[in-house]
Amino acid sequence: MGQPTTLKSISSLLNISVSTVSRALKNHPDISEKTKKKVQELAAMMDYEPNAHAISLRTNTSKIIGLIVPALSNYFYTSVLTTLEDESRKHGYTLLTLQSGDDTNIELQNLKLCRINHIAGLFIAISPETKNIDPFLKIEKNGVPVIFFDKVPEAENCNKVRMADEEAARMAAEAIQKSKRKKVLALFGNKEFSITKKRSKSFTEYLQKNVPEVNVILSFVSSTQEAVTETEKEIIHHNPDAVFCMSDEILTGAMKAIKKLKITVPQKIAVIAISNGFIPQLFDPEITYIETSGMELGKLAFSRMINYFKGQTSVQELIVPSRYVKGESI
Amino acid sequence: MGQPTTLKSISSLLNISVSTVSRALKNHPDISEKTKKKVQELAAMMDYEPNAHAISLRTNTSKIIGLIVPALSNYFYTSVLTTLEDESRKHGYTLLTLQSGDDTNIELQNLKLCRINHIAGLFIAISPETKNIDPFLKIEKNGVPVIFFDKVPEAENCNKVRMADEEAARMAAEAIQKSKRKKVLALFGNKEFSITKKRSKSFTEYLQKNVPEVNVILSFVSSTQEAVTETEKEIIHHNPDAVFCMSDEILTGAMKAIKKLKITVPQKIAVIAISNGFIPQLFDPEITYIETSGMELGKLAFSRMINYFKGQTSVQELIVPSRYVKGESI
DNA sequence: ACGGATTTCGCAAACGTTTGCGAAAATGAT
DNA sequence: ATCATTTTCGCAAACGTTTGCGAAATCCGT
């Protein structure tokens, strides 16, 4: 049980004060080169590592940045997390990742964990049921930046970073336009989410305006399983020649139905999706999709955080552009 | 910028000492019911939340448990993480999740982060290249339990929790035996990993002993892409009637090749895999697999940690059993 | 050698909490 | 009312660090 070395243990070995050791280790100009050298060498020898808790307590700031997401089983969040963790490490911060499992109570518990650990900043993708974002905004009163991402709230008094939902949906609609398909089954997620609203609105409006002859079958589902049954039903009843899926979960379900019915893609039916970029490549043929890159979002969100640290605290809404990834399904 | 409430602010409002407030809040018997009530009510009103850093500093223990994994893009690790996070929360701990991205240096950086945050315990799945586990074992000298999981080192002086690799491979071999297939393409991962050794040894030994007439084509690949080309090559050259894949990455590659060659599963070729349980269900037909459950591993690992906290510090190697999940591919 | 300027360092308080110990207050028995 | 218990509380130190301020030490020019 060797006690970890502290400023005190170094100072007593060298017969100098704790404060001198502290300053010597951070190259304070008040300390002579000679003692600096002495101290730094001994510290290195003894594997000195500062106690993060003591520093946080003393300075009332920590090097921990909180990240709260609904669930990491979602590949998109994993890629955001990975990027944020990378950037955090490079900037000397530690990312505290917390999953709320789509549970509002756990989400609040996680927020509390962030508070008692006195995080320096917070990234949060709220869970679908979260209506009241006041608890999150509250910590901003203490000078802790809060950046909502992906599933951003509708409120205007908060910082947001999100995907270009309208643009992505429009790009998918354009692809359908070019493919000359005329009867589209458009599958969206939970009708309540703002992301669903934005995507469905943009998608249908583009088609109505630019290709009015296209027949759009709108459908909203809340799970992969629901997507399976819904797709199956719609294909049998209306025989669409194209399917649009607004997410990976929905795409997974739709493809299950299409394979079950043994319909060939893209000959009999074209498929296009909005995706985080992993699932579409698992299918044969590979699915064409509009990529919403978690990495890009992570990078943008982190730079926003850094700017906030630097004083740029006025609210902003940042938007990450989408990308068309060609597959063989349309 | 409202300052957070502290023991001191409560104590001065109530004209009692800080120590009394501290004790009152944790129901210390020395404090009268009357003052307890006063204190607890005011604390609740003022949203008092203890400062984790101060507590850690004072008690020299934290409620943070470290978790270091190679990468969360691996679904298995995500499910382990989720379980560990759940359990941690339920036991009053916070999980500090860190990815090393298969980079030994980052892995050591992450270990350092754990140290300076004075974690209460550490779960670690070492990255493939990690040879020297001494740095990890070192913190155990300070009384911090270290539990290796999944990719456990060969060394014997450490606590391990891992999947039943031999058993899983044997179960797959049994399934092939029952299917009466006679020429098996067996795809394994990087030959250097102990997990690969265990699985390939167990797999081939079972077949040699129990079904000597089966012809096994052994193959080791290091990436999904390599699995694609290798499978393609072997199918063309040797025309196997069954494929075994030891992981999801390999399964993904093998299926790509099989689909490309338009070979029907399971009629022309049977497929069976060892998997973490998400990928196999994406294919048509759904792939039969031996599940290595990250959730089960997480639960076992966490209970091991708790027992260590309770004083059970002697080294153990715990093994999580596997499960046969029937699909339509064999 | 002397005074002043400058370099180099230490003292002490502070961050918020826990806890051993002793003291004050309340209680009980006589 | 007195004394011995018991209950109830406060003092003070400690965890490891940072930092304003003042003091000692060294330097320089004359």
Side-chain angles (χ1 to χ4, degrees):
Chain A
M1 295 278 189
Q3 293 306 316
T5 80
T6 67
L7 294 186
K8 194 195 288 187
S9 59
I10 295 181
S11 78
S12 64
L13 275 178
L14 257 42
N15 274 324
I16 56 180
S17 78
V18 173
S19 38
T20 302
V21 177
S22 172
R23 282 188 257 250
L25 285 177
K26 36 180 49 107
N27 269 310
H28 192 287
D30 266 12
I31 309 297
S32 69
E33 289 302 325
K34 210 175 57 178
T35 52
K36 269 185 196 168
K37 190 155 171 286
K38 260 196 326 190
V39 171
Q40 288 170 359
E41 281 177 355
L42 183 59
M45 273 200 47
M46 299 177 67
D47 292 323
Y48 170 73
E49 279 170 351
N51 183 323
H53 295 123
I55 297 181
S56 297
L57 179 59
R58 169 59 225 241
T59 62
N60 196 25
T61 65
S62 81
K63 285 296 196 177
I64 302 178
I65 295 180
L67 167 64
I68 299 179
V69 296
L72 290 173
S73 53
N74 185 324
Y75 175 72
F76 178 68
Y77 290 130
T78 303
S79 64
V80 173
L81 152 62
T82 302
T83 309
L84 288 178
E85 196 180 327
D86 255 29
E87 295 288 326
S88 295
R89 188 169 20 76
K90 287 174 187 162
H91 287 77
Y93 288 88
T94 305
L95 195 69
L96 178 60
T97 308
L98 300 164
Q99 301 183 68
S100 45
D102 283 341
D103 182 324
T104 316
N105 288 324
I106 296 183
E107 196 171 60
L108 288 176
Q109 274 187 49
N110 286 339
L111 177 65
K112 182 175 177 181
L113 281 179
C114 287
R115 279 196 308 260
I116 70 176
N117 282 298
H118 290 251
I119 54 167
L122 176 64
F123 296 107
I124 174 161
I126 55 176
S127 71
E129 293 83 10
T130 304
K131 306 293 178 214
N132 181 16
I133 59 166
D134 291 345
F136 303 101
L137 292 180
K138 209 169 172 187
I139 73 173
E140 223 167 5
K141 299 279 181 292
N142 299 338
V144 177
V146 176
I147 296 178
F148 293 87
F149 71 96
D150 189 46
K151 297 194 187 304
V152 303
E154 313 241 351
E156 290 187 341
N157 58 337
C158 56
N159 280 291
K160 310 174 193 177
V161 181
R162 62 172 180 90
M163 304 310 307
D165 292 317
E166 296 89 347
E167 182 201 49
R170 185 175 44 70
M171 287 169 76
E174 280 175 13
I176 289 176
Q177 175 184 21
K178 282 198 191 119
S179 76
K180 312 277 186 200
R181 309 280 170 149
K182 297 302 173 202
K183 192 183 265 186
V184 184
L185 169 59
L187 295 162
F188 295 91
N190 193 318
K191 221 169 186 167
E192 297 299 314
F193 303 166
S194 78
I195 190 174
T196 300
K197 292 178 193 161
K198 283 178 188 152
R199 290 183 175 177
S200 61
K201 183 157 176 286
S202 169
F203 183 84
T204 52
E205 281 186 0
Y206 179 89
L207 287 182
Q208 277 173 11
K209 190 173 298 175
N210 300 82
V211 212
E213 69 273 24
V214 166
N215 190 354
V216 178
I217 309 163
L218 270 184
S219 186
F220 298 86
V221 297
S222 307
S223 68
T224 297
Q225 189 47 47
E226 221 178 289
V228 177
T229 57
E230 182 68 13
T231 305
E232 207 172 345
K233 200 184 72 184
E234 292 297 337
I235 288 183
I236 292 174
H237 281 36
H238 297 106
N239 191 32
D241 56 3
V243 177
F244 164 74
C245 307
M246 78 157 250
S247 73
D248 281 323
E249 292 76 25
I250 294 173
L251 172 64
T252 304
M255 287 305 290
K256 261 199 168 35
I258 288 173
K259 287 187 174 170
K260 193 169 167 190
L261 297 173
K262 305 222 180 287
I263 302 180
T264 56
V265 177
Q267 290 79 3
K268 296 263 295 183
I269 201 163
V271 177
I272 187 164
I274 297 179
S275 160
N276 308 319
F278 169 65
I279 302 285
Q281 291 159 2
L282 292 177
F283 295 103
D284 178 54
E286 293 190 3
I287 307 299
T288 296
Y289 65 99
I290 315 297
E291 185 188 53
T292 55
S293 162
M295 200 184 78
E296 295 298 330
L297 187 145
K299 281 187 178 172
L300 192 60
F302 196 87
S303 73
R304 176 69 193 94
M305 180 70 81
I306 294 294
N307 286 334
Y308 196 114
F309 287 158
K310 289 179 180 166
Q312 196 178 116
T313 62
S314 54
V315 300
Q316 296 178 6
E317 174 160 17
L318 302 179
I319 297 179
V320 184
S322 311
R323 197 166 66 92
Y324 181 85
V325 180
K326 191 175 161 9
E328 305 294 335
S329 67
I330 190 166
Chain B
M1 296 276 190
Q3 293 306 315
T5 79
T6 67
L7 293 187
K8 192 195 288 189
S9 60
I10 295 180
S11 77
S12 65
L13 276 177
L14 256 42
N15 273 326
I16 56 180
S17 77
V18 173
S19 37
T20 303
V21 176
S22 172
R23 284 188 256 252
L25 286 177
K26 34 179 50 105
N27 269 311
H28 192 287
D30 266 13
I31 309 299
S32 71
E33 288 303 323
K34 211 175 57 181
T35 52
K36 271 185 197 169
K37 189 153 173 286
K38 259 196 328 191
V39 171
Q40 289 170 358
E41 280 178 354
L42 183 58
M45 272 200 49
M46 298 176 68
D47 292 323
Y48 170 72
E49 280 171 351
N51 182 324
H53 296 125
I55 297 180
S56 297
L57 180 59
R58 166 61 224 237
T59 62
N60 196 25
T61 65
S62 80
K63 284 297 196 178
I64 302 178
I65 295 181
L67 168 64
I68 299 180
V69 296
L72 289 172
S73 54
N74 184 325
Y75 175 72
F76 178 68
Y77 290 130
T78 304
S79 64
V80 173
L81 152 63
T82 303
T83 310
L84 288 178
E85 195 180 328
D86 255 30
E87 295 288 327
S88 295
R89 188 168 20 75
K90 287 175 187 162
H91 287 78
Y93 288 89
T94 305
L95 195 69
L96 178 61
T97 308
L98 300 165
Q99 301 182 69
S100 45
D102 283 342
D103 182 323
T104 317
N105 287 325
I106 297 183
E107 196 172 60
L108 288 176
Q109 275 187 48
N110 286 339
L111 177 64
K112 181 174 177 178
L113 281 179
C114 287
R115 280 197 307 262
I116 70 177
N117 281 297
H118 289 250
I119 54 167
L122 176 64
F123 295 107
I124 174 160
I126 56 176
S127 71
E129 293 84 9
T130 304
K131 304 296 176 211
N132 181 15
I133 60 166
D134 290 345
F136 304 101
L137 293 180
K138 210 168 170 186
I139 72 174
E140 223 167 4
K141 299 279 180 292
N142 300 339
V144 177
V146 176
I147 296 178
F148 293 88
F149 71 96
D150 191 43
K151 296 193 189 304
V152 303
E154 313 242 352
E156 289 186 341
N157 58 337
C158 57
N159 280 291
K160 309 175 193 176
V161 181
R162 63 172 181 89
M163 303 310 306
D165 292 317
E166 296 90 347
E167 184 201 49
R170 185 174 44 70
M171 287 171 74
E174 280 175 14
I176 288 176
Q177 175 183 23
K178 280 197 194 122
S179 76
K180 310 278 187 201
R181 309 279 171 150
K182 297 303 172 200
K183 193 183 265 184
V184 184
L185 170 60
L187 295 163
F188 295 92
N190 192 320
K191 222 170 185 166
E192 296 299 313
F193 303 166
S194 77
I195 189 173
T196 301
K197 292 177 194 162
K198 283 178 188 153
R199 289 182 176 178
S200 61
K201 183 159 177 284
S202 169
F203 183 82
T204 52
E205 280 186 1
Y206 179 89
L207 287 182
Q208 276 173 12
K209 190 173 298 176
N210 301 83
V211 213
E213 68 273 23
V214 165
N215 189 353
V216 177
I217 309 163
L218 271 184
S219 186
F220 298 87
V221 296
S222 306
S223 69
T224 298
Q225 188 47 48
E226 221 179 287
V228 177
T229 56
E230 182 68 13
T231 305
E232 208 172 343
K233 198 185 75 185
E234 293 297 335
I235 288 182
I236 291 174
H237 283 34
H238 298 106
N239 191 33
D241 56 1
V243 177
F244 164 74
C245 307
M246 77 156 253
S247 74
D248 280 323
E249 293 75 25
I250 295 173
L251 173 64
T252 305
M255 287 305 290
K256 262 200 167 36
I258 288 173
K259 286 187 174 168
K260 194 169 167 192
L261 296 173
K262 305 223 180 288
I263 303 179
T264 55
V265 177
Q267 290 80 4
K268 296 263 295 180
I269 201 163
V271 177
I272 186 163
I274 297 180
S275 160
N276 307 319
F278 169 65
I279 303 285
Q281 291 159 1
L282 292 177
F283 295 103
D284 179 53
E286 294 190 4
I287 307 299
T288 297
Y289 64 100
I290 315 298
E291 185 187 53
T292 55
S293 163
M295 199 184 78
E296 295 298 330
L297 188 145
K299 280 188 180 172
L300 191 60
F302 196 87
S303 73
R304 177 69 194 92
M305 181 71 81
I306 294 293
N307 285 334
Y308 197 114
F309 288 158
K310 289 180 180 165
Q312 196 177 117
T313 61
S314 54
V315 300
Q316 295 178 6
E317 174 160 15
L318 303 179
I319 297 179
V320 184
S322 311
R323 198 166 65 94
Y324 180 86
V325 180
K326 192 177 160 10
E328 304 295 334
S329 67
I330 190 167

